[in-house]
Amino acid sequence: MKNSRKINGKIIFITGGVLSSLGKGIFAASLAFMFKERGLKVNMMKFDPYLNVDPGTISPIEHGEVFVTKDGGETDLDIGHYERFINQNLSKNSSISSGKIYRNLIEKERRGKYLGKTVQIIPHVINEIIDLILNNLKNNDLLIVEIGGTVGDIESIPYFEAIRQLQFERENVINIHIGFVPFLSINKEYKSKPFQHSIKELHSLGVFPNFLIVRTENKINNQEVFNKISINCGVNKEYILELENLPNVYQIPKKLMEEKIDQKIAKILNLKLINKNIEKYDLFNNLISYQNKDKLRIAIVGKYHNLKDSYLSIIESLKIISIYKKIDLKIDLLDSKSLDLKKLNNYSGIIISGGFGTDGTDGKIKTIKYARENNIPLLGICFGMQLLILEFANNVLNLNLYHQELNPEKKQKFIIHLLEDQDLKNFGGTMRLGEYECKIFPNTIASKIYKKDLINQRHRHRYEFNNQYKNILEKNGLVFSGINPQTNLVEIVEYPKNDFFIAVQFHPEFNTKIFKLDPLFESFIEASNNYGKKWKNNQER
Ligand code: GLN
């Protein structure tokens, strides 16, 4: 039986109720940050109850961006929050979907590993979940596990059963449940009934939460609400914490520290915390509310403009840098499918995002042309780099070349193409994924930005620049300033005639941490800020 297995370390489960999008991931990340800053070795993971093997095949509009880990995992976007908050790279084992669990089990079953037994949810699926958890706990003091979705969803029941079994070890495992308490504007009252129901649901699955986090839009200021929750949910008020919306998510660790949640958890789990200096975080946190900031407007041009989460890591990378640089940053997502180019004059910098498929590429190419001709700072990411090259080849040099993803019927003259050994029979897991080296050539803008001749960056794409066209583009002013030393594939392109016109095949946004900024985004923000200052009354433009 798994529940009699000794747990080596401590586990905190984060579950949610009432509704989704309560910021469970950010809460989990903030908690992990606090414990890491207090001297513990921390790991984090998230379970997602959907049946896709990973989010790689899910459109960003459905589920937000696909975050890529260093080891090439296509993971849930919360893994990005975790990495940024705890300043630590995680592995693909940190993001597990039900699809992945079932695939593992079915593969084992096909190989005859169950020796004639019937394979069932209990015990096999639950044991697989517990194994994954205990593996991630190995060599760490603490593992924080977030369960995606909300309690009561049919598909997440196995995860709650795993918590129930593991909670046998009360001194090693706790559950923190986050639920929403809505405000009814008609009678001006906070309503805790849905919250209470979510706890009932949790109890019916055999899980008894140690802490309750009451998410609200504004501060409740009425102890009665908490008394009710305490009595009806069976949790002492000392362990109920209110978490209202804060202006900036990076203020949450501070708020949790003020509430001493770390000390309360440490007491239950018998954790030894070091009183480390959190000066670095305090500095960062103080900058968040700094007054007299420069105003800066940046546009991200892409086709997934309806959902900010589609570009989450880019947005967070820019936000984190703007905090350090004391900039009041406003980011707009512009729809590349229906773009009015004149709108671009309202921005001091443009990002051409990554993407897949033909939709909206015309708008992106037109944006690149406009930015090139008007010397507006531009940063192209992944698909953005491929389109920047295509635009230059066709609009500046009239080469009449194609991108194989956009015009597969052309059969040749591909300036962006698939490599010969690439197999496109499957969509899942057929990309260049994860971290690769990039060698940077001296005397280039990239070398000034990175101040290094070798960097490691994460990738997620199928197509590559066709080196056959390198010479002609170089002769005409494009500079290929970064390549992968093993394969010779192009990683960075720049156009030094403009003030800032750079594109990269990799995704720098997956490298940002709150204490480790990405130099490329930093330079982009600086260049955009300078460009903006050149224009008087930047805000009114
Ligand atoms: N669609 C392009 C490719 O597969 C770019 C992918 C991306 O932007 N992440 O190469």
Side-chain angles (χ1 to χ4, degrees):
M1 283 293 284
K2 297 282 169 180
N3 57 24
S4 60
R5 206 191 301 187
K6 188 81 196 116
I7 300 172
N8 246 328
K10 311 288 178 182
I11 305 173
I12 301 176
F13 285 102
I14 313 285
T15 57
V18 183
L19 39 95
S20 60
S21 307
L22 290 178
K24 267 189 299 170
I26 288 170
F27 173 79
S30 304
L31 210 56
F33 168 82
M34 288 162 60
F35 286 115
K36 198 178 163 189
E37 290 300 294
R38 302 292 225 98
L40 297 187
K41 233 179 135 207
V42 182
N43 194 10
M44 303 190 72
M45 73 182 298
K46 182 179 182 192
F47 284 107
D48 273 299
Y50 51 71
L51 291 180
N52 301 64
V53 171
D54 59 41
T57 55
I58 309 179
S59 157
I61 309 238
E62 289 263 320
H63 208 67
E65 99 182 342
V66 176
F67 183 82
V68 181
T69 51
K70 198 175 148 149
D71 60 357
E74 296 183 271
T75 71
D76 183 76
L77 55 76
D78 274 318
I79 310 304
H81 282 310
Y82 302 168
E83 286 203 359
R84 283 186 291 274
F85 271 79
I86 65 173
N87 300 286
Q88 181 178 315
N89 294 326
L90 297 172
S91 89
K92 54 180 148 200
N93 299 332
S94 284
S95 180
I96 306 285
S97 68
S98 296
K100 197 177 265 172
I101 292 171
Y102 281 101
R103 188 176 73 170
N104 287 353
L105 289 181
I106 290 167
E107 276 173 3
K108 274 194 221 164
E109 186 271 337
R110 291 289 86 184
R111 290 200 308 270
K113 294 275 177 199
Y114 293 102
L115 307 173
K117 291 263 183 238
T118 313
V119 184
Q120 301 183 89
I121 303 224
I122 296 180
H124 300 98
V125 170
I126 311 299
N127 284 353
E128 183 77 15
I129 295 172
I130 292 178
D131 283 346
L132 288 162
I133 292 172
L134 296 182
N135 265 332
N136 277 334
L137 177 62
K138 250 183 222 156
N139 305 322
N140 288 288
D141 302 314
L142 172 68
L143 174 71
I144 297 186
V145 186
E146 180 189 348
I147 310 294
T150 40
V151 62
D153 299 344
I154 289 174
E155 57 265 46
S156 55
I157 288 176
Y159 300 110
F160 289 94
E161 173 58 14
I163 303 178
R164 189 192 69 76
Q165 291 191 16
L166 286 169
Q167 253 189 343
F168 255 61
E169 286 203 28
R170 297 200 160 274
E171 69 285 8
N172 288 331
V173 180
I174 62 166
N175 167 238
I176 302 182
H177 186 74
I178 306 182
F180 187 61
V181 171
F183 180 69
L184 265 198
S185 53
I186 299 177
N187 36 2
K188 303 208 170 7
E189 255 187 306
Y190 281 94
K191 292 294 193 187
S192 67
K193 196 52 81 59
F195 192 100
Q196 294 172 37
H197 278 295
S198 83
I199 301 296
K200 260 198 188 147
E201 198 79 52
L202 204 56
H203 287 172
S204 74
L205 296 167
V207 176
F208 293 83
N210 307 70
F211 273 88
L212 303 180
I213 307 295
V214 175
R215 283 285 290 114
T216 60
E217 280 187 71
N218 298 301
K219 246 185 154 354
I220 293 181
N221 284 328
N222 178 358
Q223 280 309 308
E224 255 325 287
V225 178
F226 296 101
N227 292 341
K228 245 194 219 167
I229 292 177
S230 173
I231 290 169
N232 292 312
C233 301
V235 175
N236 193 313
K237 257 172 75 178
E238 193 190 336
Y239 299 116
I240 304 177
L241 192 118
E242 178 182 11
L243 193 56
E244 73 278 14
N245 289 351
L246 295 181
N248 192 307
V249 293
Y250 298 108
Q251 292 169 318
I252 293 174
K254 179 81 178 171
K255 158 95 186 171
L256 298 183
M257 280 182 230
E258 283 165 3
E259 302 283 348
K260 298 196 167 52
I261 186 166
D262 46 348
Q263 290 168 34
K264 289 178 186 174
I265 292 174
K267 217 165 117 194
I268 303 179
L269 288 177
N270 197 15
L271 281 167
K272 281 192 189 43
L273 302 182
I274 303 170
N275 232 342
K276 262 185 57 186
N277 206 340
I278 55 152
E279 213 173 283
K280 223 166 153 187
Y281 173 72
D282 275 343
L283 271 173
F284 174 67
N285 188 52
N286 288 340
L287 284 174
I288 294 175
S289 29
Y290 184 86
Q291 303 291 318
N292 299 329
K293 295 181 176 181
D294 285 346
K295 286 202 189 314
L296 177 63
R297 293 183 75 177
I298 298 289
I300 300 178
V301 178
K303 66 170 170 176
Y304 312 120
H305 66 288
N306 280 331
L307 184 67
K308 277 206 152 124
D309 277 357
S310 309
Y311 302 112
L312 186 70
S313 290
I314 298 182
I315 293 175
E316 293 307 315
S317 296
L318 298 175
K319 257 169 64 181
I320 292 171
I321 290 165
S322 74
I323 293 171
Y324 282 105
K325 295 207 178 290
K326 300 177 183 156
I327 285 172
D328 178 9
L329 177 68
K330 190 168 178 297
I331 303 170
D332 287 335
L333 305 187
L334 304 186
D335 181 5
S336 58
K337 292 190 288 285
S338 59
L339 190 66
D340 170 10
L341 287 177
K342 276 191 236 97
K343 260 196 172 173
L344 295 172
N345 291 334
N346 296 328
Y347 300 93
S348 303
I350 299 168
I351 291 187
I352 305 291
S353 65
F356 294 85
T358 49
D359 264 19
T361 42
D362 267 4
K364 285 187 178 177
I365 290 178
K366 282 183 186 141
T367 304
I368 295 169
K369 181 169 187 277
Y370 193 84
R372 179 175 54 73
E373 290 173 348
N374 293 285
N375 199 7
I376 306 174
L378 179 132
L379 173 62
I381 296 176
C382 203
F383 204 31
M385 182 193 94
Q386 300 170 353
L387 297 180
L388 181 142
I389 295 175
L390 187 69
E391 192 279 327
F392 194 85
N394 290 344
N395 291 342
V396 180
L397 308 180
N398 293 317
L399 294 179
N400 251 325
L401 299 173
Y402 302 101
H403 186 311
Q404 192 173 0
E405 186 176 9
L406 307 179
N407 294 98
E409 75 289 350
K410 296 287 175 192
K411 304 269 186 288
Q412 53 178 338
K413 291 185 77 181
F414 292 133
I415 190 164
I416 308 292
H417 65 165
L418 285 174
L419 300 183
E420 261 158 32
D421 52 359
Q422 268 172 300
D423 164 20
L424 265 196
K425 275 191 235 76
N426 280 329
F427 266 106
T430 53
M431 287 193 256
R432 174 142 83 110
L433 279 171
E435 202 169 85
Y436 285 83
E437 283 185 341
C438 168
K439 183 173 126 191
I440 299 176
F441 296 110
N443 306 320
T444 56
I445 299 174
S447 73
K448 277 196 206 96
I449 291 174
Y450 282 104
K451 298 182 182 68
K452 278 184 185 171
D453 49 19
L454 197 66
I455 56 171
N456 287 300
Q457 292 281 350
R458 300 181 196 183
H459 288 248
R460 180 171 184 255
H461 57 100
R462 294 192 177 87
Y463 296 85
E464 306 280 355
F465 171 67
N466 182 350
N467 277 327
Q468 195 189 322
Y469 296 103
K470 209 170 181 177
N471 271 345
I472 182 157
L473 296 178
E474 257 173 350
K475 272 195 203 124
N476 288 284
L478 268 196
V479 172
F480 295 90
S481 47
I483 58 149
N484 173 260
Q486 283 81 33
T487 56
N488 228 2
L489 293 170
V490 164
E491 301 273 343
I492 312 178
V493 180
E494 55 195 51
Y495 184 55
K497 275 199 190 141
N498 278 20
D499 291 339
F500 190 100
F501 203 75
I502 302 184
V504 289
Q505 185 58 78
F506 49 78
H507 289 271
E509 69 271 26
F510 297 143
N511 267 345
T512 303
K513 315 273 189 281
I514 57 171
F515 296 154
K516 185 181 151 274
L517 309 185
D518 177 83
L520 185 59
F521 280 115
E522 257 189 292
S523 313
F524 169 70
I525 289 278
E526 272 163 25
S528 305
N529 207 23
N530 290 339
Y531 175 85
K533 278 182 184 166
K534 276 203 282 195
W535 295 75
K536 280 194 197 120
N537 306 324
N538 184 27
Q539 313 89 294
E540 273 92 43
R541 268 197 308 131

